[in-house]
Amino acid sequence: MDIPISSRDFRCLQLACVALGLVAGSIIIGVSVSKAAAAVGGVFIGAAGLGFLIFIYPFLKARFNLDHLLPRLGSLRIHPHAGRNCEEAGASANGNKEGARRSLSTVSRTLEKLKPGGRGTEEG
């Protein structure tokens, strides 16, 4: 069953959904006590933001002529600077390995403290 809808009515419906999402998200965040409820409000606001972007896309496309802009953005490439010599790179790699060992031992110590009956827990 197809119901004909005009372009203007469709845009109004889109804008109403965006407004409803923003209002609902703001209310949920405003009255929430827990972080989980605030996260749900954030999801509502994020969905409303996405809806708003979908709503304004035709206007942006007409205003900024995105058909010419988007292919240029897609063809951008990152060109790294000339690399350092091998001696500097080797010393840097050794320093990174040492740093990784240090952080790994810190993580191991922290995990030992968190274990039940571990040396870091004090029962009194």
Side-chain angles (χ1 to χ4, degrees):
M1 183 170 137
D2 292 333
I3 300 173
I5 185 169
S6 70
S7 175
R8 182 175 181 229
D9 290 341
F10 181 69
R11 291 287 176 202
C12 289
L13 182 63
Q14 275 185 323
L15 193 57
C17 289
V18 166
L20 182 65
L22 286 174
V23 169
S26 299
I27 290 172
I28 291 171
I29 289 176
V31 300
S32 66
V33 176
S34 70
K35 291 179 182 175
V40 171
V43 169
F44 272 82
I45 290 178
L50 180 63
F52 185 69
L53 286 176
I54 292 170
F55 175 74
I56 65 169
Y57 177 74
F59 303 110
L60 291 176
K61 186 176 178 184
R63 175 75 175 129
F64 297 113
N65 200 0
L66 294 179
D67 291 335
H68 295 293
L69 181 66
L70 292 177
R72 288 184 188 148
L73 289 177
S75 66
L76 291 177
R77 299 287 183 256
I78 297 173
H79 301 288
H81 297 291
R84 298 175 290 179
N85 60 22
C86 295
E87 296 165 5
E88 290 178 11
S92 172
N94 288 338
N96 288 341
K97 288 178 185 176
E98 185 62 35
R101 283 190 201 116
R102 243 183 262 130
S103 64
L104 184 59
S105 65
T106 304
V107 170
S108 299
R109 279 186 267 132
T110 304
L111 288 175
E112 282 295 320
K113 290 179 184 177
L114 293 176
K115 282 184 184 177
R119 58 187 167 151
T121 60
E122 297 177 16
E123 297 180 15

